[in-house]
Amino acid sequence: MGRFALQRFMYMVITLWVIITLTFFLMHTMPGSPLQHEDKLPPELKEEILKEYGLDKPLPVQYVTFLGKLAQADLGSSFKYDGRSVTDLIMQGFPASLQLGIQATIIGVIFGIILGCVSALRRGTWVDNVANVFSILGYSVPNFVLATLLSYYVGVKLQWLPPAKWDGPEYSILPTLSLAVLVMATIARYIRTEMLEVLGQDYMKTAKAKGLSARTAIIKHALRNALIPAVTVLGPLIIGLITGSLVVEQIFAIPGMGWMFVDSIQVNDYTVIMGITIFYSALIIVGMFLVDVLYGIIDPRIRIGGVQE
Amino acid sequence: MSSMNSSTQNLTPEMFQPIERDTLAQEGVSSKKITFWGDVWRRFLKNKGALIGALLLLVIGILAIVGPEIHSYSYRSVNYDLINKEAFGDHWFGTDGAGRDVWTRTWYGAGISLLIAFLATAFDLFIGVPYGCISGYYGGKVDNWMQRIIEVLYGIPNLIVIILLLLWMKPGIIAIALALGITGWITMARVVRGQMLKLKSQEYVLAARTLGASTRRMLTKHMLPNVLGPVIITIMFSIPTAIFFEAFLAFIGLGIRPPEASLGVLINDGYKVLQLFPYQLFFPALVLSLIMFSFNLVGDGLRDALDPKLRQ
């Protein structure tokens, strides 16, 4: 186990380094500069500003300086919000995004499991068909379309819930729903497949033969075994939630990290783009690492296969 | 017993004639042969959902080709006398803020979205399949190194690379397809490699090798046809992903530029005037959702048809 975790850890570090380097060099060879919209500035002042941010030095020097600062969690300061440090901005936007992500995960997982189980237990009936169509729809309708429609019809037309802003728990309901549908659909499909496989196993017949009630057999024997491989969908789910949060936060005007990221892309705010890219990558990569290790602990076949290849 | 005797009494040896015994014919299979692909086809046809998906795709595909031609309006011709006209009049889907026909633009955009998705998938195939083949077939050190590279690349989040690449390049059809392809081939390579490893230990591969088949022949005649199933499934799921990403990128402002249109661009335009003219968002969003829905249905159906494990 130790060797497996160590190997994974090495990959994690290399991957992070690759993404940091890629981000840095792409950002610095990009057409357009952070001052391109400031035409009125006299050239001397532009130079002065570039100097202050260290943008006048050769690229490799900037790269080394950047890595050194990164090690101290210093991501530089934003071009757009004068003097605000990127770390500050991230920390300011993160709580809202995290809250949305957690709420969406909890709701999505619970309903996904229920939907997947019902679908598998009633295989081939209309219940199964309806559940299937529902889950395929869930990941076919893009989250920004869903979010837009929810905001417009439930928020603006029916006025049941606030269509935008971030002022209290009721403001998080619609964005959470927009994100949770994809989680639910993914989990439901996974659980259905796994349940079908488990339900065909001999130990399910044994459980039935020894007189267990259907409920105990399904919850204790079938569902528990079906849930183990579902750990692997956690990785893609983190990615899906982050992807979704970029647009959902935009649509509901939530001052989270996703909104900040899209905003910084539109105004060429290099340091913020770089900072959030690295933060997202680290989040995803560390998440994948934890999922891998967790899965190695749960299912020993993986870690043996992983080391020996 | 007695009744049998009475019936045999009427039979004389002359009434019988020996038939030539044909051992070859006896060995023959009397029922119709079903090939693997024949079986897949049969199982696919039985799946109602998949059939509906395939039919929808056909209709959408035809409309994406002929839809923009039905009216005389061009997808880019601007008419300021007819801005923001409601749907279901002269203009079936109405007109947008520059007086362009939304019906024409929607189907033109659907065509562009599909084109981007197909190009991205072609990149997947051209990089992913050879990579997976070489890695899986040669094994050993080659495989080890190629896998190390994949492990690192796989960990890099798609979305971030795509956004970075599009900030770097000018977003256009090729640039978007390229960015999607650069990140997408890894899944394909992994699928192909896994299949190759499985096939390598099969007896028929050993037999072909013993008979002196060249590497090229081994790969193209014996192994690739058997990898085709999983490759098709991967394609069927990577097309909707590419379409989604294209629309997503357009939505956050990294799509192709007007007057060019893709579904994502149209949705983004429609979103801006949603409060006033919801139909401008509705139609492109509906077509986009339908395309993704159909591809997912067909993909599911193909996976069920191709996967022997799921046979009942």
Side-chain angles (χ1 to χ4, degrees):
Chain A
M1 192 62 216
R3 233 185 105 188
F4 172 74
L6 194 71
Q7 188 201 30
R8 290 284 117 189
F9 187 76
M10 286 306 294
Y11 280 130
M12 185 177 83
V13 173
I14 296 173
T15 310
L16 258 177
W17 173 73
V18 169
I19 191 82
I20 288 170
T21 308
L22 187 76
T23 313
F24 180 84
F25 284 101
L26 281 183
M27 278 295 109
H28 281 263
T29 49
M30 210 168 76
S33 85
L35 296 180
Q36 68 177 0
H37 298 303
E38 316 284 341
D39 293 332
K40 286 178 210 131
L41 281 181
E44 307 88 61
L45 200 60
K46 266 193 187 177
E47 254 168 54
E48 191 67 27
I49 293 174
L50 288 181
K51 205 168 177 179
E52 199 192 313
Y53 288 107
L55 291 171
D56 57 334
K57 297 201 184 75
L59 212 52
V61 177
Q62 287 189 38
Y63 177 60
V64 174
T65 321
F66 177 70
L67 280 188
K69 282 187 172 170
L70 189 64
Q72 305 158 34
D74 176 5
L75 292 160
S77 44
S78 161
F79 289 123
K80 189 189 169 196
Y81 303 101
D82 202 26
R84 298 280 309 271
S85 84
V86 177
T87 319
D88 253 13
L89 284 175
I90 291 178
M91 282 309 129
Q92 185 201 332
F94 190 53
S97 303
L98 186 70
Q99 187 196 337
L100 268 187
I102 289 174
Q103 280 174 215
T105 311
I106 292 172
I107 291 176
V109 166
I110 290 174
F111 285 95
I113 289 176
I114 294 174
L115 203 65
C117 277
V118 169
S119 186
L121 291 173
R122 299 270 178 275
R123 186 187 189 176
T125 64
W126 66 270
V127 181
D128 182 24
N129 290 336
V130 169
N132 271 335
V133 169
F134 201 62
S135 66
I136 295 180
L137 268 180
Y139 60 74
S140 295
V141 178
N143 38 29
F144 51 90
V145 170
L146 187 71
T148 311
L149 293 179
L150 280 179
S151 160
Y152 181 64
Y153 286 104
V154 183
V156 178
K157 285 263 153 161
L158 297 169
Q159 302 203 324
W160 287 350
L161 288 163
K165 293 268 158 18
W166 189 249
D167 282 336
E170 75 270 22
Y171 286 83
S172 73
I173 296 176
L174 288 180
T176 301
L177 266 182
S178 319
L179 286 173
V181 167
L182 183 73
V183 179
M184 187 196 72
T186 316
I187 296 271
R189 292 173 54 74
Y190 212 86
I191 290 290
R192 179 179 181 268
T193 318
E194 289 303 325
M195 276 295 267
L196 283 179
E197 205 172 316
V198 171
L199 288 175
Q201 298 284 332
D202 286 340
Y203 60 73
M204 286 309 292
K205 280 198 197 96
T206 311
K208 205 173 167 188
K210 72 179 184 187
L212 283 187
S213 73
R215 220 177 92 187
T216 323
I218 285 161
I219 292 174
K220 290 226 163 161
H221 292 252
L223 187 57
R224 270 179 106 170
N225 284 300
L227 275 178
I228 294 173
V231 173
T232 47
V233 280
L234 287 178
L237 272 187
I238 300 172
I239 297 173
L241 283 174
I242 289 180
T243 315
S245 76
L246 294 190
V247 281
V248 168
E249 285 178 12
Q250 186 87 344
I251 290 165
F252 289 101
I254 296 166
M257 252 190 12
W259 172 81
M260 216 174 265
F261 190 45
V262 177
D263 186 53
S264 65
I265 287 172
Q266 280 155 2
V267 296
N268 271 347
D269 199 345
Y270 284 162
T271 42
V272 177
I273 299 179
M274 247 171 3
I276 299 187
T277 302
I278 291 165
F279 186 79
Y280 273 151
S281 309
L283 208 66
I284 293 171
I285 292 167
V286 172
M288 298 282 235
F289 166 72
L290 291 179
V291 168
D292 268 357
V293 172
L294 191 67
Y295 202 50
I297 293 170
I298 298 173
D299 191 342
R301 281 172 305 180
I302 300 296
R303 63 171 188 259
I304 292 167
V307 172
Q308 291 179 340
E309 289 283 330
Chain B
M1 204 63 190
S2 60
S3 67
M4 242 182 102
N5 276 342
S6 64
S7 63
T8 44
Q9 269 164 9
N10 304 332
L11 296 172
T12 55
E14 291 84 55
M15 294 170 78
F16 293 94
Q17 209 175 8
I19 329 173
E20 196 103 349
R21 191 177 277 191
D22 186 353
T23 35
L24 264 180
Q26 276 178 341
E27 298 280 315
V29 181
S30 55
S31 65
K32 211 178 124 212
K33 244 196 222 165
I34 300 177
T35 61
F36 172 68
W37 290 104
D39 186 40
V40 168
W41 181 238
R42 190 179 55 89
R43 289 151 51 76
F44 184 78
L45 287 183
K46 268 208 238 161
N47 188 331
K48 279 195 207 90
L51 269 186
I52 293 172
L55 207 69
L56 272 173
L57 277 184
L58 194 71
V59 173
I60 291 170
I62 291 172
L63 278 172
I65 295 167
V66 303
E69 310 298 329
I70 290 180
H71 290 309
S72 52
Y73 317 114
S74 141
Y75 73 91
R76 56 194 304 165
S77 72
V78 175
N79 183 349
Y80 286 106
D81 298 330
L82 284 170
I83 56 171
N84 296 324
K85 279 267 177 276
E86 282 292 331
F88 306 119
D90 252 359
H91 296 265
W92 293 348
F93 287 180
T95 60
D96 68 3
R100 291 174 295 211
D101 182 52
V102 176
W103 161 274
T104 308
R105 277 177 77 73
T106 300
W107 293 114
Y108 179 81
I112 297 291
S113 290
L114 284 170
L115 179 70
I116 290 175
F118 288 142
L119 278 177
T121 312
F123 282 125
D124 283 10
L125 280 176
F126 283 123
I127 311 174
V129 173
Y131 195 101
C133 267
I134 293 169
S135 181
Y137 183 78
Y138 287 104
K141 239 187 197 145
V142 178
D143 182 41
N144 220 337
W145 274 105
M146 290 176 89
Q147 279 320 105
R148 292 296 85 82
I149 295 171
I150 287 241
E151 297 261 8
V152 170
L153 292 181
Y154 189 69
I156 299 176
N158 270 5
L159 173 76
I160 294 209
V161 178
I162 294 172
I163 289 180
L164 282 179
L165 282 175
L166 284 178
L167 282 172
W168 192 60
M169 301 186 280
K170 198 166 160 269
I173 295 176
I174 300 288
I176 294 173
L178 199 69
L180 291 170
I182 284 174
T183 50
W185 65 273
I186 294 167
T187 315
M188 186 63 85
R190 283 166 73 103
V191 168
V192 173
R193 173 180 174 267
Q195 289 297 313
M196 280 306 211
L197 287 180
K198 212 173 83 188
L199 290 177
K200 232 166 54 171
S201 54
Q202 303 267 319
E203 273 91 1
Y204 73 89
V205 172
L206 183 67
R209 200 195 299 266
T210 318
L211 288 170
S214 66
T215 303
R216 191 198 160 90
R217 197 185 155 76
M218 291 282 293
L219 281 174
T220 54
K221 292 274 170 195
H222 294 280
M223 299 178 84
L224 271 183
N226 286 299
V227 182
L228 206 57
V231 168
I232 291 176
I233 295 171
T234 314
I235 290 177
M236 289 315 284
F237 288 111
S238 74
I239 291 177
T241 312
I243 291 179
F244 167 76
F245 261 116
E246 186 278 321
F248 175 84
L249 289 168
F251 199 82
I252 62 172
L254 290 171
I256 53 180
R257 301 280 177 246
E260 286 296 321
S262 71
L263 289 175
V265 173
L266 293 176
I267 290 174
N268 194 19
D269 288 349
Y271 169 67
K272 289 175 194 150
V273 293
L274 178 69
Q275 309 263 353
L276 302 165
F277 313 107
Y279 65 93
Q280 286 182 23
L281 173 101
F282 179 75
F283 291 113
L286 180 73
V287 172
L288 176 71
S289 306
L290 272 181
I291 293 179
M292 300 221 356
F293 183 63
S294 320
F295 268 111
N296 282 323
L297 276 179
V298 173
D300 272 0
L302 275 176
R303 187 176 49 197
D304 289 352
L306 280 162
D307 189 353
K309 263 198 305 188
L310 293 170
R311 290 183 187 184
Q312 294 161 340

